[in-house]
Amino acid sequence: MHGMPARRMSRVPLKPDVNRTVRSFAFIACLSAMADPFGALGPTSALAQATETLEASRARKAQKGRSSVPRTAPPPPASTRDEDLAAAPPTFYSLSQLGDHLSSVRWELAAVGAGLVAIGLRDWDWGGSEFQFIEEGWFAKNTPHGGMDKIGHSFSTYVIADILTDRIRANASNPAGAPITGALVAFGIMGLGEAVDGFTGKHRFSREDIVANGVGAAFAILRNSIPGLREKLDWRLMYTPASFERPGITASEESGILPPYQRQRYIMALKGSGFETLKNTPLRYAELHAGFDARGFEPDERRLGYPIERTFYVGVGLNLNEVLFGPGSVPNFRKYKDTLPAWAVQKTFEYLQVPYTAAYAGHRFSTIRR
């Protein structure tokens, strides 16, 4: 399955592997059923017991020095009960919290599910084949898409997890652990989609895609759990305009709901507005970018004879959310920042890089002429 656009692949019949199918579904089911993935264990009474014993020993020595009259040794402390020694159960995350979180985003889950089905039927040709596996590789020159499909899987999982995390925090009665729920649900949704891909002769089930989904889910947890990280770092997709690409590179061959790989660029944006020392300076509007794309892997590129190339980018960009909703003397829409429409606009600019709002310098590597 592909996290972003449709793709063309040769139909190579592979023998179904029932055991691996069962293991794959079991793996996803186990992840979605995890109730206590995190949480600090509560202290036991063993440390307190040892401290009390030490204090009692010191008191006996001091009293012995003050009086030579022999005294009957105090009785040993009562034995600690087993239940006192048992670690306190984690309180950070539980099944009841998971249920509360899922209930609080039921409409969002319905929308994500409907969107995934629509894309699967339109772009990925779901159905019509026995379950099949495929080994796709990662970013090598002999892979179908030069790694763009793997980044697309990670990015899609991250976006779903991040949106669900925000909505859980806004709607749940107990939002603690929202990043965990968001990541687990996103990983499960994308894993289910990958399993359905196994029943298409066009795509088939890819273990690499499952790993890529896990990377996106982990990034979502880190970004929403480490204090200040989401204010500093965005992960975005740019749908590059035709002027960014070589002549003849369009979306016409595989036009679908999602943009084709030959029109995508993925960007990490480090935002000046997330740093305290820059918040009151003009640098709060600036961003540092690092990006990646791969070209020459798709059918229309091959037909035109373009070489295989992968490119790293660095650049400087404009923080549109800071321009539109940030504090300062410049008139903007900050008074609407906490409304639902403003939230939707801000999330859009967290995930999508608007062309011509940044300047890039690129370095191509591993160019292969056809």
Side-chain angles (χ1 to χ4, degrees), residues 231-249:
E231 288 78 23
K232 296 180 176 69
L233 188 65
D234 285 351
W235 187 5
R236 301 175 189 158
L237 163 69
M238 180 195 291
Y239 183 13
T240 58
S243 59
F244 279 42
E245 306 297 342
R246 293 188 175 97
I249 303 302

Side-chain angles (χ1 to χ4, degrees), residues 81-136:
R81 295 178 299 174
D82 291 341
E83 54 267 32
D84 291 335
L85 290 173
T91 58
F92 179 70
Y93 198 74
S94 66
L95 279 176
S96 61
Q97 283 176 271
L98 176 61
D100 174 49
H101 293 174
L102 294 178
S103 176
S104 69
V105 293
R106 55 190 179 276
W107 295 112
E108 288 85 350
L109 290 174
V112 170
L116 184 64
V117 170
I119 294 171
L121 295 176
R122 175 62 182 83
D123 289 8
W124 300 326
D125 297 335
W126 278 356
S129 172
E130 294 182 346
F131 193 87
Q132 301 176 22
F133 286 85
I134 186 172
E135 298 293 337
E136 291 183 322

Side-chain angles (χ1 to χ4, degrees), residues 37-52:
F38 290 101
L41 293 178
T44 67
S45 60
L47 181 60
Q49 176 83 28
T51 304
E52 292 173 1

Side-chain angles (χ1 to χ4, degrees), residues 14-288:
L14 298 178
K15 184 178 180 179
D17 191 332
V18 177
N19 290 332
R20 287 185 292 181
T21 303
V22 173
R23 287 198 299 269
S24 300
F25 278 107
F27 176 68
I28 297 170
C30 288
L31 280 177
S32 63
M34 289 172 64
D36 296 306
F38 290 101
L41 293 178
T44 67
S45 60
L47 181 60
Q49 176 83 28
T51 304
E52 292 173 1
T53 303
L54 180 60
E55 293 297 329
S57 176
R58 289 176 178 173
R60 287 196 301 271
K61 288 181 180 180
Q63 193 166 2
K64 183 177 179 181
R66 290 193 299 268
S67 174
S68 59
V69 178
R71 297 176 60 89
T72 303
S79 59
T80 306
R81 295 178 299 174
D82 291 341
E83 54 267 32
D84 291 335
L85 290 173
T91 58
F92 179 70
Y93 198 74
S94 66
L95 279 176
S96 61
Q97 283 176 271
L98 176 61
D100 174 49
H101 293 174
L102 294 178
S103 176
S104 69
V105 293
R106 55 190 179 276
W107 295 112
E108 288 85 350
L109 290 174
V112 170
L116 184 64
V117 170
I119 294 171
L121 295 176
R122 175 62 182 83
D123 289 8
W124 300 326
D125 297 335
W126 278 356
S129 172
E130 294 182 346
F131 193 87
Q132 301 176 22
F133 286 85
I134 186 172
E135 298 293 337
E136 291 183 322
W138 296 96
F139 294 86
K141 62 184 180 182
N142 59 345
T143 55
H145 306 283
M148 293 295 287
D149 53 333
K150 301 300 169 274
I151 301 178
H153 264 273
S154 294
F155 180 77
S156 299
T157 308
Y158 153 68
V159 169
I160 295 173
D162 193 65
I163 291 175
L164 292 178
T165 298
D166 271 14
R167 302 315 300 158
I168 290 169
R169 283 173 168 168
N171 300 326
S173 59
N174 182 4
I180 300 173
T181 300
L184 286 175
V185 173
F187 183 82
I189 290 173
M190 292 295 291
L192 180 60
E194 185 65 29
V196 177
D197 258 4
F199 294 98
T200 68
K202 182 177 181 180
H203 298 303
R204 293 164 283 178
F205 183 92
S206 168
R207 297 178 184 86
E208 293 92 339
D209 288 346
I210 293 296
V211 174
N213 294 343
V215 172
F219 180 77
I221 291 178
L222 292 176
R223 185 174 179 271
N224 286 290
S225 300
I226 297 176
L229 185 58
R230 66 180 297 154
E231 288 78 23
K232 296 180 176 69
L233 188 65
D234 285 351
W235 187 5
R236 301 175 189 158
L237 163 69
M238 180 195 291
Y239 183 13
T240 58
S243 59
F244 279 42
E245 306 297 342
R246 293 188 175 97
I249 303 302
T250 67
S252 60
E253 281 203 0
E254 295 188 4
S255 59
I257 298 175
L258 298 175
Y261 294 126
Q262 65 266 36
R263 299 290 294 275
Q264 294 182 17
R265 182 181 301 173
Y266 289 96
I267 294 162
M268 286 286 183
L270 188 65
K271 301 178 289 187
S273 59
F275 295 87
E276 289 293 335
T277 55
L278 303 179
K279 281 186 175 180
N280 297 320
T281 73
L283 290 178
R284 70 181 184 272
Y285 298 111
E287 301 174 339
L288 294 179

